[in-house]
Amino acid sequence: MNISVIGTGYVGLVVGACLAETGNSVKCADIDQKKIDGLRNNVLPIYEPGLEPLVERNQREERLLFTTDLCDAITSAEVVFIAVGTPPGEDGSADLKYVLQVATLIGRHMTREMVVVTKSTVPVGGSAEGRAAVAKEAKFSFHLCSNPEFLKEGDAVEDFMRPDRVVLGVDSAFARRVMTDIYAPFVRTGKPVLVMDISSAEMTKYAANGMLATRISFMNEIANLCDQLGANVDSVRRGIGSDSRIGQSFLFPGPGYGGSCFPKDVKALVRMGAERGVSLDVLTAVESANERQKTILVSKLRAALGDLKGKRIAMWGLAFKAGTDDMREAPALSIINGLLEAGVSICAHDPAAMGHARVLLGNRIDFAETNYEALTGADALVVVTDWMEYRHPDFERVKRTLNQPVIVDGRNLYDVEKMQELGVRYHSIGRPSA
């Protein structure tokens, strides 16, 4: 099938490469010439495990093409995926200007009956606005599909190739038939393709992210209460996660959620409710709890070291989560700002995100080429992101390099009893200190 994807950001690039992998002829189009030039040379603008070989292989085998000619991409397509950004406005609502610009181009340049797929995250009613923009220019019939993405950064290729479910909001039997055919190779193991109306599909995306954000903030608040009551959040997590009604996922406490989806989508969902007179009090509290949680490690460092002025802190992890270089809404940024305001100097390391961090932070902090190099001259180590290489370090080397053996662990990576045996002054979230 001839498929075009408009937008080569995180979602568009994964969608295009994965659809090409199953034999489709895919054009990924973007107005950013520098990005397209890089992609043609297999230089990806994002860090995503497993994506680079897909891009390289499918370009080599001529199933995947990158172009700045959006008009040609639309003209040649049977199906067009809209995968451009929907950044939050000042009021938290999703800005649809890029979606509507692409929809207008689709209507103007389509040459046949086609399916227009909204892959961008749009509020309920966003696809209908897109439909109106296409229809205003279209000379051929078209069909609409809302196909929200549920990709986890760091696992996006696996999530697309082996999805838990595929959600399709369609307006016609034609769109249903085409879209189920496209996704058939990815659900051969029996995972469901959930076909519904377009508004319900749009709402499903926001509701899913709202629920996951709620679990994160809930568990962080329980962990903070465990700190005050002397309970161990690891035991509590296992106790409640063993309940089949709750499950184990998204129950690990940490320094708060970040990234491109949860913060933006929670804000947009709250805004959708406010516009219709529906108070989403739970999600408002989730957002407030998450903002507070981003400061928890600064408080723990102050408790461990006393006055922070003049201290130097080693930071392991800058990305909002392991497996990505994404620093959008990353807890590390709030922690860095809090520490700098307290008069601290910082040396940070991250396996993937230091390029972005240098752009965002400039010379406000120092950067180390290795995680151990970051420890030199530091009064404490704070662990912010749970990269694999941080999970089993040489603790004797850590102790030897730090000015004093203090670790504040924002991801609960290390065993409390082992830290006690090693003589490390160890502070985590919701567990006894060593």
Side-chain angles (χ1 to χ4, degrees):
M1 189 174 294
N2 292 318
I3 297 172
S4 289
V5 181
I6 311 299
T8 59
Y10 180 82
V11 173
L13 191 53
V14 173
V15 169
C18 290
L19 290 177
E21 182 72 2
T22 55
N24 296 293
S25 177
V26 180
K27 290 182 179 178
C28 287
D30 201 293
I31 61 173
D32 188 334
Q33 183 70 59
K34 184 178 179 181
K35 184 190 288 187
I36 292 299
D37 288 343
L39 287 166
R40 286 170 174 166
N41 290 296
N42 300 310
V43 178
L44 275 58
I46 60 171
Y47 175 85
E48 181 60 42
L51 183 57
E52 186 174 345
L54 281 187
V55 169
E56 182 177 356
R57 177 168 59 253
N58 284 285
Q59 280 203 98
R60 184 176 65 247
E61 298 180 6
E62 299 183 348
R63 291 190 298 266
L64 180 62
L65 181 146
F66 294 102
T67 180
T68 56
D69 191 341
L70 274 63
C71 301
D72 174 70
I74 294 164
T75 298
S76 62
E78 300 167 76
V79 178
V80 176
F81 284 79
I82 301 175
V84 294
T86 53
E90 291 184 6
D91 61 359
S93 61
D95 187 343
L96 300 184
K97 63 182 177 184
Y98 302 119
V99 170
L100 298 180
Q101 287 171 7
V102 172
T104 298
L105 282 177
I106 292 171
R108 190 173 298 159
H109 296 285
M110 62 194 298
T111 59
R112 69 184 86 185
E113 183 179 24
M114 64 161 49
V115 178
V116 178
V117 184
T118 307
K119 199 69 176 174
S120 303
T121 300
V122 300
V124 176
S127 294
E129 290 187 49
R131 181 206 303 276
V134 176
K136 189 175 181 180
E137 301 283 343
K139 295 181 177 62
F140 298 87
S141 62
F142 66 94
H143 308 264
L144 207 62
C145 176
S146 172
N147 175 214
E149 55 86 12
F150 301 99
L151 307 177
K152 300 186 296 295
E153 294 190 46
D155 296 292
V157 172
E158 180 69 14
D159 286 346
F160 196 97
M161 301 298 279
R162 297 174 180 82
D164 290 329
R165 79 293 198 196
V166 174
V167 173
L168 301 175
V170 298
D171 65 353
S172 69
F174 183 91
R176 176 176 184 155
R177 184 170 64 253
V178 170
M179 295 304 295
T180 53
D181 184 50
I182 286 174
Y183 277 104
F186 305 104
V187 293
R188 295 184 66 197
T189 58
K191 296 296 184 180
V193 177
L194 306 174
V195 182
M196 59 189 72
D197 63 277
I198 289 173
S199 293
S200 295
E202 292 169 332
M203 190 64 193
T204 297
K205 167 66 174 179
Y206 282 100
N209 281 351
M211 173 61 77
L212 296 174
T214 299
R215 287 173 70 98
I216 292 170
S217 284
F218 172 80
M219 206 62 206
N220 283 338
E221 292 202 325
I222 293 297
N224 296 340
L225 186 57
C226 286
D227 271 334
Q228 299 303 315
L229 298 177
N232 188 323
V233 74
D234 284 349
S235 299
V236 175
R237 174 178 56 79
R238 289 191 294 269
I240 65 174
S242 298
D243 188 325
S244 61
R245 297 169 299 176
I246 297 173
Q248 299 282 355
S249 298
F250 283 80
L251 292 183
F252 287 86
Y257 60 75
S260 63
C261 291
F262 289 179
K264 175 173 70 74
D265 291 353
V266 169
K267 285 182 173 67
L269 197 48
V270 170
R271 182 64 186 175
M272 274 188 268
E275 289 173 349
R276 291 158 180 82
V278 178
S279 296
L280 300 182
D281 296 337
V282 170
L283 288 175
T284 300
V286 164
E287 189 175 20
S288 297
N290 191 61
E291 289 306 306
R292 287 195 304 273
Q293 194 68 15
K294 289 182 177 182
T295 68
I296 195 75
L297 298 186
V298 177
S299 299
K300 287 183 174 291
L301 280 166
R302 188 172 283 113
L305 298 176
D307 185 10
L308 293 176
K309 188 174 182 179
K311 296 292 195 299
R312 185 166 179 81
I313 301 298
M315 178 177 288
W316 284 1
L318 292 163
F320 85 94
K321 60 175 284 189
T324 180
D325 59 353
D326 196 343
M327 288 193 64
R328 285 173 287 185
E329 302 282 347
L333 295 174
S334 297
I335 296 164
I336 288 168
N337 288 333
L339 291 176
L340 291 177
E341 288 173 7
V344 170
S345 65
I346 301 166
C347 187
H349 174 266
D350 188 285
M354 292 209 291
H356 289 310
R358 285 189 171 97
V359 173
L360 291 170
L361 298 166
N363 61 2
R364 297 176 67 204
I365 70 171
D366 299 321
F367 298 96
E369 292 303 315
T370 69
N371 57 323
Y372 292 111
E373 183 184 323
L375 305 173
T376 302
D379 297 291
L381 164 64
V382 58
V383 181
V384 182
T385 313
D386 55 341
W387 287 96
M388 290 298 293
E389 66 189 77
Y390 301 157
R391 296 191 179 196
H392 198 263
D394 181 343
F395 288 109
E396 290 299 334
R397 184 175 179 182
V398 172
K399 283 180 58 181
R400 191 167 61 247
T401 309
L402 289 171
N403 290 342
Q404 47 188 319
V406 176
I407 298 177
V408 174
D409 180 1
R411 297 291 180 171
N412 290 4
L413 298 183
Y414 311 134
D415 182 76
V416 175
E417 291 184 2
K418 181 176 180 179
M419 295 299 99
Q420 289 175 329
E421 293 170 2
L422 290 170
V424 173
R425 288 157 50 197
Y426 179 67
H427 304 262
S428 54
I429 299 179
R431 304 188 301 172
S433 297

